Amino acid sequence: MQFHTILTSISLISGLTFSLLDLAHAQAKSVDTPQSDAAIIEMNQAFSKLDRKRLTALLPQVKGHTLEAWGAYWELRARLDLAGPTEIKDFLSRYAGSYQEDRMRNDWLLMMGQRREWTNFNTEHANYRMNDDREVRCYGYAADYLLSGVDGSADLKRQWYSAKDADDACTFAATTLYGAKKLTDLDIWRKARIAMEANRPRSVKNAVEIVSTSAAKQIDGIQGNANNYLTKKVFTFTQTSKESVVLALIRLAMTDPEAAADAMEKRWSTHLSSEQRSAVWGVIGKQIAQRLTGDANAAFAKAKDSELSDEHLGWKVRAALRQAQWNTVLSATQAMSPEARQDATWVYWQARALMQLAKTDPERAEATRLLGSIASVRGFYEQLALEELGQRITTPPKPLALTAEERLNAHNNIGLNRALAAIAMGLRTEGVREWNYSVNLHQKGGMNDRDLLAAAEMACQREVWDRCINTSDRTKTLVDFEQRFPMPFKKSVVQRATQIGLDPAYVYGLIRQESRFIMDARSGVGASGLMQVMPPTAKWTAKKIGMVDFKPHQITDRDTNIAIGTGYLKLVLDDFSGSMPMAAAAYNAGPSRPRSWRGQTGGPVLEAAIWAENVPFQETRDYVKKVLSNTTNYAALITGQPQSLKSRLGLVGPRDANATVVNAELP
């Protein structure tokens, strides 16, 4: 007790630079030798190759290392199919309470599900903490029904419908519950429709096989040439035949929505049920809306709102916003599921529609109530709701300072420390997984706000900015803006932005979204560094801004990346006449796309919020909104003054005929 008090006092005096665990690590530093560090790295590489022999040989060399649990996990996981229950349980016991324990349990549950070992599955499933694996959940629904008769069909549909790829778990569970008459034919066909729209033919075939093996044999033909299938189809009035036509019409609509609409009008509409017609018209409407040409609203009008999915209703709202059809915006948002209606996007647009259409005080009061339910500084629509209520975006009060005990709890958290150690060794994927598990999944409901702030502070102090930001972002009631919107490399960013006439808040807002301030970040398509610049773009921009002797390997150098990224952003912003939303879209998707999305001469001039919501690519749509929301919050932090998101958004419409010529060189 006396030792703890002395340490606490020292920590308070020194700002908690060291924790009890830091001291323990310092005393045990010799355990993590260069040799054992190298063995950990080699084990990670061997695991990626599933080199079982090498993993087993290296395992003794990492005993006592901070990342020993990872080494042990890799070694056993690589041969899990050969390991017996006793050995697996020994591992779970030895690393009890760790991420590696529950990760191994997750993998074992998947294997038992594949082997249909339901009794053993259910026994171990009761100990599973993460509960974030869709396949394990689906096996769980199957096991619960087979062993106890528990009907999990409603939850299964949510998991199965949202799955991008076909998998044994959800397909088996759906087959099981369909056989028990807990799922209907329509439930199965709806999965097939979703998969066809997502261009996932294997998932389509797996679903259709549940209800009709003969219909499943036709999927390849539908996938290959839907128009040919529809032209030659000898129609019979069976449910299976109708649903096969629906799948073909959906496939056709994905490539030629006008041809699908023509086929519906001339032949198929009269043969289909109301629900089937709505399903097809929903896809046609979405495809037309995403092309930003044609009359998507006319297609959506042929479907019943009550029979459209949330996805299709969302695109109906977007198309209606472009044409200022506020009655349609209101009816479509009101037709969404209860879950979708909680999304800030649709709360905001429903409120805006009510404000436009309100004729009575109660209607205006309901619009105000809806806006008030989301108004905050937390995101794009939350900020817009604040402004609709006559407020500006300001920095919220800083939470009470963390106590010594709260900081010590974070610094003594084994999972957080192991995660940071993994990241420091270059094992970012493993470190991020363990960190996320420690803050979100180790205990039911995740850490409370105070613990999240303490964990975020710990990551900030180590300059692991992505974990700092993402962890602080999870708090529900307490908001620490300096954690959520840190400003690393401030001198370099502000100086460079100011030199070339960029708003530093805009640059920070973009970097936060691009890389979370990870200097060596690299995307799946090859974009690199803080500002995630593609190699050809970096080479072109370096030449444009007069950077001599630029070499490709320099792109992850901090100052070089900032110079090239800001230089390119400035060129893009100028090309779009200072429009931050369009420049952000161009930075993410290339300049040619937002040039097209802004419309042609004679097209509508839109609120930028409406324009952004209609961006066809989900990634770019979300990116634009997040960058502009980030920018507004950074501006509040940097200036200390109330800010407006609306003023940064402005209007978006066809290019002004008197504007400067498009910079056709921009990559």
Side-chain angles (χ1 to χ4, degrees), residues 278-309:
S278 292
V280 175
W281 283 117
V283 177
I284 294 170
K286 175 184 172 180
Q287 289 302 312
I288 295 173
Q290 288 186 327
R291 285 163 171 76
L292 303 175
T293 58
D295 191 356
N297 293 301
F300 282 124
K302 294 180 171 69
K304 293 181 179 178
D305 282 356
S306 61
E307 294 172 340
L308 288 174
S309 68

